[in-house]
Structure formats: structure tokens, C-alpha cells
Amino acid sequence: QKEVEQNSGPLSVPEGAIASLNCTYSDRVSQSFFWYRQYSGKSPELIMSIYSNGDKEDGRFTAQLNKASQYVSLLIRDSQPSDSATYLCASSGGYQKVTFGTGTKLQVIP
Amino acid sequence: AAGVIQSPRHLIKEKRETATLKCYPIPRHDTVYWYQQGPGQDPQFLISFYEKMQSDKGSIPDRFSAQQFSDYHSELNMSSLELGDSALYFCASSLGLEGTYEQYFGPGTRLTVT
């Protein structure tokens, strides 16, 4: 079992809809959680980081963290075709390595 | 804003050859990480350095070695290359103990072993 689990998708949503991406983690010592967006052949781009329970909003993106349930999610409002990419959920215990999930491929249909 | 710089961007080597990948972190970042990403896979952590000392080690083959220099740039040395080493190699940097540990990735080096 991977430390960080994601549904590989693809997740298809129509343009303008809300995309909901989910992630669970198994290591209870994880303190930091990240969402990266990766286009094919490109490097991961940090979208959101979240460290405490609750919601964190940044523009069209909202990250949610529930440490009791070991669950992290990313909501993308008003999805655009340019949001089509693979979204990687990641966790870290601090200065240590970031452990990535296998990623969820998002397709936004125009 | 300055980003992580990696060189070269593309590298073609033959089996059993040696390759050296370079990484220049974001200014003031004190921690460097190396990742390997095969086609359709998530990035796999190889090794990290904090203040020029190895801080963590992942699934790095014994044929590979790395170090961080006094100017904080890092090099990944890969010897006796195998076909399976063909992959994207990413370097990431972060601001360690006084920061948020958010890792910012460079554009990557695409290594092809023939």
C-alpha cells in the first residue's frame, strides 16, 4: 500500500464545473500536505500547501485537510480546459522527502 | 522570481556510460531534493541535502551518487548507465528549518540511455 493514495482517474468534468480531487495518506506523522499540477513531460508545479485541519482557499482552488480521517482534497471551481493535467497529492513529515501519490488525471471538457 | 535551474535539459548516453546532472536551487533555499520519474509514474525520491549534508535517502541505486556544494548547487552522478535509467530527473529546492518545506521543482533533465 502506498503512503499516499489517489484515484488515477481520468476524472472528466465539463468546463465551468467543480472538479473534486481526493487523496488519503497512511503516515500519521505527516505534517505538511501539497497539491502539485503536472502537465505531460513537464515538472510538477506547486498549487497549494496545507498544514492544519480545515479549508484553505487560493483563487479557484480550495484545499481541505482532515487529519483525523487522514484525508486531503482539492476543489477546483470554474474548471477550465487549461486545468487539464495530472494532479499529484503529496505529504511530508517536515524537512524530509515529499511522498507523492500516483496522481489523478483531470480532463476538463469544453 | 528566480526558479530552480537544471542542466542539461536533455542528455543522451549509451549503456555503461556516466552522466552528471546539475541543479541550481532558488536563491536562499538550503535544501535540495532529487527525483526520478519514469513514463506514467509519480516522481520517486532519490536523495536530499540540507546545508550540504545528506539529509534523507530514498530509492537511489548504488551506481548513483550526489552532493551539494558550498554554493548550494547539487550534482547527481550516474555511472554504469542502464536502459532502465532513462527517465525525467527533477531537482527541487526548499527553504528548510526556517521555511515551510514547500518544494519547488526545476524543469527537469530528460535522460535517454541507448
Side-chain angles (χ1 to χ4, degrees):
Chain A
Q1 180 186 7
K2 278 189 69 84
E3 292 181 27
V4 179
E5 298 270 1
Q6 293 181 258
N7 188 322
S8 62
L11 172 66
S12 294
V13 299
E15 183 175 355
I18 296 175
S20 177
L21 304 164
N22 304 314
C23 168
T24 58
Y25 62 95
S26 59
D27 189 352
R28 285 192 173 274
V29 303
S30 295
Q31 302 171 13
S32 308
F33 303 89
F34 310 96
W35 283 99
Y36 286 86
R37 176 175 63 196
Q38 187 174 28
Y39 296 108
S40 181
K42 303 297 184 182
S43 60
E45 175 192 5
L46 180 64
I47 297 175
M48 294 283 288
S49 55
I50 187 166
Y51 307 96
S52 55
N53 281 326
D55 296 357
K56 179 181 178 183
E57 185 175 324
D58 184 0
R60 296 186 295 114
F61 300 98
T62 299
Q64 299 173 318
L65 174 60
N66 183 325
K67 290 187 177 180
S69 301
Q70 296 179 244
Y71 176 87
V72 190
S73 67
L74 178 70
L75 299 177
I76 306 175
R77 290 181 298 281
D78 189 23
S79 296
Q80 300 298 309
S82 58
D83 294 327
S84 298
T86 296
Y87 289 79
L88 298 163
C89 173
S91 68
S92 172
Y95 63 89
Q96 298 168 3
K97 65 184 173 81
V98 166
T99 300
F100 288 89
T102 52
T104 298
K105 187 173 183 179
L106 173 66
Q107 295 177 340
V108 180
I109 311 300
Chain B
V4 177
I5 298 172
Q6 289 187 249
S7 67
R9 294 292 308 278
H10 302 273
L11 190 59
I12 299 175
K13 291 286 185 178
E14 295 187 355
K15 282 173 51 178
R16 292 180 288 278
E17 285 192 321
T18 297
T20 297
L21 309 184
K22 296 184 179 182
C23 169
Y24 297 85
I26 292 171
R28 291 186 59 237
H29 281 195
D30 50 20
T31 308
V32 169
Y33 311 79
W34 286 98
Y35 293 87
Q36 177 191 60
Q37 188 174 29
Q41 299 179 356
D42 53 292
Q44 295 296 310
F45 171 72
L46 294 177
I47 196 166
S48 64
F49 294 87
Y50 168 69
E51 284 290 344
K52 292 152 282 185
M53 297 289 290
Q54 182 180 310
S55 55
D56 201 357
K57 192 173 182 179
S59 51
I60 183 170
D62 292 340
R63 301 177 288 107
F64 294 6
S65 65
Q67 56 181 327
Q68 186 179 32
F69 295 86
S70 58
D71 64 351
Y72 292 96
H73 95 272
S74 178
E75 295 183 4
L76 177 66
N77 297 292
M78 310 159 69
S79 63
S80 302
L81 287 169
E82 302 174 357
L83 295 178
D85 296 329
S86 295
L88 268 170
Y89 289 84
F90 293 112
C91 170
S93 73
S94 71
L95 185 58
L97 293 179
E98 297 182 15
T100 60
Y101 310 114
E102 293 177 344
Q103 294 187 20
Y104 295 88
F105 282 72
T109 294
R110 182 176 294 279
L111 172 66
T112 302
V113 181
T114 62

